Amino acid sequence: MRFWEIGLIVVNFGLLYWAVIANKKGGRGLFIPLGTAYSLVIVQIVVEGGRWEMVPAYLTPLLLTTYFLIGKRREGGRSRIAVTVQAVLLTVYLLVSVAPPAILPVFSFEKPTGPYAVGTTVYHWVDEQRRETYSSNPEDRRELMVQVWYPAAEGRGEKRSPYLLNASKVTGGISSKTLGLPAFTFSHLGLIKTHSLLEAKLSDAESRYPVLIFSHGMNGYRNQNMYQVEELASHGYIVVGIDYAYEAAASVFPDGRVAPSRTDSKLTSNAQYEQHIPLWTDDATFVLNQVEKLNRNDPAGRFTGKIDIDRIGMLGHSFGGAVTLQMTKNDSRVKAALCMDGGIYGPPVSDKGLGKPFFQMYSEEIYNLVMASYDDVAKQLGGVSREVFEAPRKEYIQKSRNALAGGGLSILIPGSKHASYSDLALFSPLPGLGGADPRRDHRIVNEFSVAFFDRYLKGKDDSALKDLEAKYPEVNYKVND
């Protein structure tokens, strides 16, 4: 909870308990507590921004007013039972007021640890060579929203970027499509700020910077790994995040049009996921082409000649990890890849490996699910046969082994969930999204991510990876044969 949220709840409920215990009814001297209660609500909304989770707390001044003005003070006091009942009811109301903002916090991101400040800018790119398959109009072209984070020069007074641009149109998609909850649930995400500076100047500390392409998961969104992209940018990488239109939670185009996700949120089979691979790899290829154009001639002048096209990496989470694997296999421009708890969909990799640096990060949640035997989970499968259960599991294991063959790297973070590799782990302390300590999971991911790309894109030695192997022995860092 934020500072003024805590202050509002502490002071206003303190006034309510005082009114109940002291039996304050009518009379003079009530304007100060009432003025304080109403003022705190106004200040909190103006300074921090109001949100639906605080509605019960916002009603405390009305409750206080009602208690002051309705009824009369009884001479001789009240019975102990009456006071106790009122105090208990007030305590229940306190719990109702505290729970929503505590369970759905306006969280903050840890400050990036690299030597650079972080800048960010957004592009709207249209692929004139491809029609939009999600549109019935054959004249509609494929449109993508792309956000870039990069090493920035400080001291120019730029504003910090919000976590979500066009938040009012995006949060509904995140709530409903990404998480399967009512559209209003995570509307407070629009109140979160990042460390990125809007439209900041690119740092001139280096002549050129390596670039990383980030792919979100199915029904995810381009900045779902803000904890990670800011960290990478602060260490000298230009990170390009793609919204895969109509398969992202929601994309908002410059003219205000919204491309909501049109995918089935209950994709279950490998075959269903396989059908989406070509669209995403075509999008990623198009974005790489646009990055090359940006390097040749950026209309804003920011990136012209500053992107090292010979040092391109890619990273992705979940389905985006599968796309990352396919792009690394098929596009010679991608020199190294990081797959975070990704499914292995698309054409199989040779049993000799990718022939390029590849890093697979597993969550314990998905790893245990994949490695579980049919007998362990039969009751949860609703009558699914052993053969139907075993086929995709064996396929995943074999494809994963092939991708890691020939020196691929891997880790498994104990206690981690699938969402531990994204910002979703910070959305709520309730079990189900993140592991027991999501910020520690993020630090592990970030440290290994920077060390991996530094090794294989910046040409540093492997000492940082070895140091992390010693620092985090529990993740079972491996170089696979």
Side-chain angles (χ1 to χ4, degrees), residues 51 76 123 140 158 206-207 212 231 264-265 279 382 400 426 445-446 453 466:
R51 58 189 184 118
Y123 293 96
D140 286 345
E158 297 86 351
E206 299 183 38
S207 59
L212 301 172
E231 178 71 5
D264 185 346
S265 60
L279 177 65
S400 184
L426 302 175
V445 172
N446 279 345
F453 286 118
K466 290 182 177 179

Side-chain angles (χ1 to χ4, degrees), residues 104 171-182 185-186 189 218-221 249 265 419 422-425 427-428 432-433:
L104 299 173
T171 55
I174 294 172
S175 298
S176 60
K177 297 301 295 188
T178 307
L179 297 169
L181 296 169
T185 307
F186 288 97
L189 294 178
M218 184 66 72
N219 293 317
Y221 51 104
S265 60
S422 72
D423 298 339
L424 273 65
F427 281 16
S428 175
L433 283 179

